[in-house]
Amino acid sequence: MFSARRLGSLIATSARQKHTLPELPYEYNALEPVISREIMTLHHTKHHATYVNNLNAAEEMLKQAQSKGDVTAVINLAPALRFNGGGHINHAIFWQTLSPGSTKASDQLCKAIETDFGSWDNMKNQLAAASVAIQGSGWGWLGYNKQMKRTQIATCLNQDPLQATTGLIPLFGIDVWEHAYYLQYKNVRADYVKAIFDIANWEDISQRYAKAVGN
């Protein structure tokens, strides 16, 4: 179940700081032919930027409502914080878990995937199937379940962030909002999901796994 408290802890760096659009670790055309320059440019400078701007605006309104003791206004701001905060969190992870060059998963992550899913291909097939099956917009995730000490696949609708929604620590997410692929793949979401594994940054994902296990 979604927890406003969890989301708040994830997006609040400081009450005095504004969130900023992170720079990409590569050029906009670096992920071609899997993801075109046009999609990357629009996705980053328009969609992600909008989440950041709207999140900052919502947090400012929240601050004002709290200072006035306006409980109704605070409650009414929850959907905007959830949607835009989640959009910022999800995309900040997404850019880092993609790479224009060939990457290799750590032995630690490979062993975990084989233990939890039987094989690397089983994990990819299950994550792909879950992502393609999402009705409407959302994200397919490979996450880490700290209580069960295992990697796990989950999906989130809209921009709900994985950890605040399910408790899983995000390792690798597949954005299946149409703005992430439609200009290039049209309505064939499955082709986009299949191709994105070719640009997954398994080094970054492995680091996220090591951190999740170690915490």
Side-chain angles (χ1 to χ4, degrees), residues 102-111 113 120 123 200-207 209:
S102 177
T103 60
K104 184 178 179 182
S106 67
D107 291 341
Q108 183 187 28
L109 179 59
C110 287
K111 182 178 179 180
I113 295 298
W120 196 260
M123 181 277 291
N201 186 346
W202 293 110
E203 291 180 3
D204 181 88
I205 298 164
S206 296
Q207 291 171 8
Y209 176 74

Side-chain angles (χ1 to χ4, degrees), residues 34-97:
V34 176
I35 303 179
S36 70
R37 175 200 289 267
E38 183 180 16
I39 288 176
M40 287 299 297
T41 302
L42 291 171
H43 200 168
H44 181 248
T45 65
K46 300 299 183 182
H47 293 279
H48 190 176
T50 297
Y51 298 132
V52 171
N53 293 336
N54 289 343
L55 174 59
N56 285 328
E59 287 189 339
E60 181 60 32
M61 287 187 286
L62 177 63
K63 181 180 177 181
Q64 294 175 9
Q66 289 173 329
S67 68
K68 298 175 182 177
D70 189 341
V71 177
T72 299
V74 170
I75 293 172
N76 287 338
L77 283 166
L81 291 167
R82 172 177 177 168
F83 182 77
N84 294 292
H88 180 38
I89 291 169
N90 292 339
H91 286 86
I93 296 171
F94 186 58
W95 309 131
Q96 296 295 326
T97 56

